[in-house]
Amino acid sequence: MRTRSLRDIKILPTRYLWTDYLPFGEVALLVGKPGVGKSTLASALAAQLTVGQLDGDCKGEPRHVLYSITEDSESTFKARFIAAGGDVDYLHLVDVVHGVVAAGSPLLVNVDLDAVRAEIEVWNPALLVLDALNSSLVGQLNDNSSVRPQLERLKSLAHATSTTVLGVGHFKKSTVGIDPVDAIGGAGAYGQVVRQALACAADEEAGTAVLSLIKSNVRSVADTQSLAFRTDEVLVDSDDGSTARVGGLTWLGEASTSVRELLQRTPQGGKKRPQTAAEWLVGYLADHDGMVRQPEVLIDGAMAGFSTDALKRAKVKANVRSYKPDYDGGWFWYQASSEPEGSTGGSEESGTDASRPLHSLGAPFDSDGDTA
């Protein structure tokens, strides 16, 4: 424990890697639906940074970038990076190699941050990209108690090294009418710990995509202009003499709408109708890998407009059950189709599973009279 006088703390201005959108030395998120162009956008930002063309405090000064890719192939990523005009000598892929095996595995926040810090000391990068962020996290990714400590470690690394950490993530499956921060997939800690969050969404009416700032602790979200872009096919020379086709990002200037507004729209060809509590609960659990702590379900359900009583009634209609991992822990709600491994637990509706006696269960499940 240490105690320090606030008088000794220096107030420093916010420096931007990308003016208004990515501050230096913070953990930021870039989220959106699959296929909207998140990875293309992230690689384009990295490319501009390596040649000193990104509009920010590094403009005119090429900077090194560390990049972890886990979903695209390295060949595709390189072609996309070249298509964006990047300098390959300033971009360094990072992964973890065990023994003499040539293939690498994703770096893990809980294990490899000391090694990452060592690489940062070597290259002095302005940016570390984790695409996808979830590949570098372990444990239940819909559980705050698992995700928050790992994001806090990333934040400490960013603060200590003045390196911006950009994690590429995803939206939940159902986003219509949801606030963009609440639409971030996984645990609530994703939207709580990060200082800056960017989101992409398709504008079906315009045939383009939109990038918006959806959370910031250093500037006004409402006063930050959304940007429109599209992805076009770009041809890049391959090393075998043929041609590679990849997506290239084209900025279209200020957008006339925002990601927040796009999430309120009804998808083309569909009619929007009020969502029932049971429908919300099924979608919510699906977006969180099928299992969520009961308090989080009730809190998030209240934010979606459903009372505790309505959610408990919906629980029965949606065939959702409760599960307690250990006798001292809290209750979880889970979709019956995604029942916890190694258990066939009972529920409030049935008392116990008819195929297995209660005393044989490895952990308690809710039964008649419980409050789960």
Side-chain angles (χ1 to χ4, degrees), residues 6-341:
L6 187 60
R7 182 180 297 279
D8 297 330
I9 305 300
K10 294 182 179 179
I11 297 177
L12 301 174
T14 299
R15 297 177 60 240
Y16 281 96
L17 189 71
W18 181 22
T19 300
D20 296 343
Y21 300 97
L22 284 179
F24 262 107
E26 296 289 355
V27 176
L29 281 181
L30 173 61
V31 295
K33 291 282 191 178
V36 76
K38 302 185 300 294
S39 294
T40 301
L41 195 157
S43 61
L45 294 177
Q48 289 182 290
L49 191 59
T50 63
V51 292
Q53 294 181 356
L54 189 60
D55 187 16
D57 290 336
C58 288
K59 191 167 186 179
E61 177 189 2
R63 294 295 304 270
H64 290 278
V65 176
L66 300 182
Y67 216 110
S68 170
I69 56 171
T70 56
E71 296 183 348
D72 287 318
S73 70
E74 294 179 356
S75 174
T76 298
F77 174 80
K78 181 177 180 180
R80 185 187 292 143
F81 181 79
I82 291 174
D87 186 336
V88 295
D89 290 329
Y90 279 80
L91 193 289
H92 313 281
L93 298 181
V94 293
D95 57 12
V96 179
V97 178
H98 303 274
V100 296
V101 179
S105 59
L107 67 91
L108 299 178
V109 171
N110 275 350
V111 179
D112 302 312
L113 279 201
D114 286 342
V116 173
R117 186 187 298 269
E119 292 302 315
I120 289 176
E121 291 178 357
V122 172
W123 298 106
N124 188 29
L127 177 66
L128 166 64
V129 179
L130 302 177
D131 185 5
L133 173 60
N134 281 353
S135 297
S136 292
L137 305 180
V138 298
Q140 289 285 340
L141 300 184
N142 61 347
D143 186 349
N144 276 344
S145 64
S146 174
V147 171
R148 177 178 284 275
Q150 298 179 76
L151 294 180
E152 295 283 4
R153 293 194 67 192
L154 273 179
K155 185 168 70 171
S156 295
L157 176 73
H159 288 177
T161 63
S162 296
T163 302
T164 300
V165 178
L166 177 63
V168 180
H170 59 85
F171 271 152
K172 299 174 182 178
K173 294 178 182 178
S174 177
T175 58
V176 176
I178 300 179
D179 182 272
V181 175
D182 295 331
I184 298 173
Y190 287 102
Q192 296 162 5
V193 176
V194 299
R195 301 295 84 189
Q196 197 95 341
L198 305 170
C200 302
D203 185 346
E204 295 181 352
E205 294 180 0
T208 61
V210 172
L211 173 74
S212 295
L213 181 67
I214 61 172
K215 176 188 175 177
S216 177
N217 285 61
V218 295
R219 65 172 289 105
S220 167
V221 171
D223 292 337
T224 304
Q225 181 64 47
S226 295
L227 304 175
F229 67 93
R230 69 169 187 263
T231 54
D232 302 307
E233 184 179 75
V234 179
L235 303 181
V236 177
D237 292 335
S238 300
D239 290 328
D240 63 1
S242 61
T243 301
R245 301 174 183 269
V246 294
L249 186 138
T250 301
W251 291 110
L252 303 174
E254 296 184 352
S256 59
T257 185
S258 68
V259 169
R260 181 183 298 274
E261 293 170 350
L262 291 173
L263 294 190
Q264 308 306 312
R265 293 182 184 176
T266 303
Q268 289 184 355
K271 293 183 178 181
K272 187 175 180 181
R273 63 177 177 82
Q275 189 180 40
T276 67
E279 290 171 335
W280 177 88
L281 184 57
V282 170
Y284 177 81
L285 292 175
D287 288 337
H288 292 76
D289 298 328
M291 182 183 295
V292 184
R293 293 177 182 273
Q294 176 185 284
E296 293 184 23
V297 177
L298 299 181
I299 291 172
D300 290 343
M303 293 178 63
F306 302 109
S307 68
T308 296
D309 288 341
L311 290 170
K312 289 187 174 181
R313 291 192 297 269
K315 182 183 177 189
V316 178
K317 294 180 181 179
N319 195 25
V320 171
R321 301 181 183 179
S322 298
Y323 166 66
K324 199 172 187 181
D326 55 68
Y327 287 95
D328 296 327
W331 290 98
F332 287 76
W333 283 16
Y334 73 96
Q335 189 71 53
S337 59
S338 59
E339 189 165 314
E341 183 178 353

